[in-house]
Amino acid sequence: MTQLIYTETELMQSIQYCAPQIEAGQRLHGGFDDLGRYVPPRTLFREPAFAAWTQQLRGILAHPDGERILNEFRALEETV
């Protein structure tokens, strides 16, 4: 089963960069992977989380009652 619930600590974690991003002598957020591609900060768990949440939402919307289900969920969220 795909993980859909993450802790705040997980969502704040970054990958281990191979090189920091330095511009004009200033260390910026994010860094570079082993292929030299820029990697934004806090994406260790966020990218898989976004993919899982998107997949679940698409599945709900594909259901004949998808819009109703989402509206009921939104109504529940408003009470929290």
Side-chain angles (χ1 to χ4, degrees):
M1 176 136 221
T2 303
Q3 181 177 348
L4 295 170
I5 298 173
Y6 294 82
T7 65
E8 180 180 357
T9 300
E10 288 174 322
L11 293 175
M12 297 303 288
Q13 288 184 22
S14 295
I15 68 161
Q16 186 70 33
Y17 303 114
C18 288
Q21 180 183 12
I22 300 175
E23 302 293 336
Q26 297 294 314
R27 169 80 165 87
L28 304 177
H29 70 284
F32 298 92
D33 66 12
D34 57 345
L35 297 176
R37 297 175 297 202
Y38 173 73
V39 180
R42 300 177 299 277
T43 55
L44 182 63
F45 289 97
R46 284 185 185 194
E47 286 182 351
F50 290 155
W53 297 334
T54 299
Q55 180 182 15
Q56 183 179 33
L57 253 172
R58 287 184 177 144
I60 291 169
L61 289 173
H63 188 278
D65 291 326
E67 287 295 325
R68 181 186 57 76
I69 293 167
L70 283 178
N71 288 334
E72 288 178 8
F73 181 74
R74 287 182 187 120
L76 286 174
E77 279 189 321
E78 292 174 6
T79 64
V80 176

